[in-house]
Amino acid sequence: MLITMAVRKAGAQFVSSKENIDETPSGRLLHGIMASIAEFYSANLATESKKGMRQKAKSGGTPGHASLGYLNVRERIDGREIRTVIVDEQRAPHIQWMFSAYATGDWTMRQLEEELDRRGLRIPATKKLPERKVSYQHIDKMLTNRYYTGIVRYEGIWYEGRHPAIVDQATFDRVQAIRTTRAQAREEVRKHPHYLKGSIFCGRCDARFGVMNATNRWGTVYPYFYCLGRAKDRTSCTQSTVLISDVEASVAEYWKRVQLSPERIAAIREQVMTALVQHQKAGQAEVKRQEQRRQDLRNAQLKLIEMRYADAIPLDLLKSEQERITRELAAAQEIIDRYSTEMDSVLSVVEGALLLCSNAYRLYFSAPPTVRRQLNQAVFARFLILDDQVQGADLTSGFAQLLASDLTAPPQNGPHGDERTGVDVRQPRAIKPVGRHRAPIRHPAHRRAEPRSEPGPGFR
């Protein structure tokens, strides 16, 4: 259309010497038919190409270029050329080490970037780009790429791949858990990583705590937590630096409050089972209703397209109706997924939470730092630190519900957190600044004997 309009605007005419195409009505008709056929051929070729790629992904093949650590190769089998993927023996060991190192929780992506560069890992050269080192952004993508576990993704759908996995699922899951906990804590681990960073807050100004290492004149290093609010404005907070070991001990002691009796655990388990049975009965009818609704919406989509082809509705109305149907389809699918959750999976999560609450202190005390971080973020939204002691804590919504006296009632956020759990959560108090002086760093050998305020009543 645009080309024809441009030709006419220039005062010229399009005449074909092979086909009977000119400016007559029959010539324009033939031109339109041939143009439509050409457009159909191009669209059908693209569709068939996508169909082939989709079929290849369904059968476990890799559509497109394989990820770093694999090689695209061609093999001849029974006289036919087969394109497949094999493990890159030179680069795959570096990828495996990267996942294993990050899964320990002791490495950051910046440190991985430097170490992989030192080990000699390089991205192969292409027609447009030379060989180059693995960047921070590339590492971030690789750590979330399920292709390394033997899965193929095409058009947003994951399929079981034929290529060998170089990372086991357990390691991949640990990596994702560490990424999630660091993102929740908004922690950018640089020089001084610690499993409590992001979970402890100042009990005076509500700011987060950072980590610093103080060295005395004899070269002894003392690790401390310091208030980031005071670091930004010394007059806004009077919280002094505190030894990390003291805060660690106080947090571990606070975990003794997360304790449920066997009778309470049995009662919770019974309530959950009753609720799940009722949920399953109510869900079966709802799932059938939503599936019928989803089918009706899909039929409506097809009718809209047919009406548009017949010029029965304008384009703007088609777009608005398609957007509405897309939203309703997503809502129906969400309801179906929610009611289709298997009872066993829900029970396993509840049993894990109850097991944690039955042996919380012993589990936390014997856990490594990476697991301690995950436990803190699963149960507590934050700890409030006053001087070097935990003065209170906010529970996460899930455990606030689990530890409440009434499981069916929603959490009530009072002035001190969830009032049903009995947990001592003291809101940060506004304390008048005492002056522009630096809070002294107290080394263990020179610490003053100060009376410590006892923590408030806990919950069992």
Side-chain angles (χ1 to χ4, degrees), residues 38-56 154-155 309:
E39 181 182 1
F40 167 77
Y41 175 79
S42 177
N44 185 63
L45 186 63
T47 302
E48 291 298 321
S49 176
K50 287 185 178 180
K51 182 179 178 182
M53 299 286 279
R54 189 180 303 112
Q55 186 60 38
K56 182 177 182 180
Y154 186 71
E155 293 182 334
Y309 286 155

Side-chain angles (χ1 to χ4, degrees), residues 200-209 227 237-239 382-387 389-392 426-431:
I200 56 175
F201 291 76
C202 178
R204 289 185 168 88
C205 68
D206 203 25
R208 294 174 181 267
F209 274 89
C227 175
C237 182
T238 59
Q239 173 69 47
R382 64 174 184 171
F383 294 98
L384 294 175
I385 307 299
L386 194 63
D387 295 332
Q389 294 293 300
V390 177
Q391 295 299 306
R426 302 180 183 179
Q427 296 299 319
R429 305 189 300 273
I431 295 180

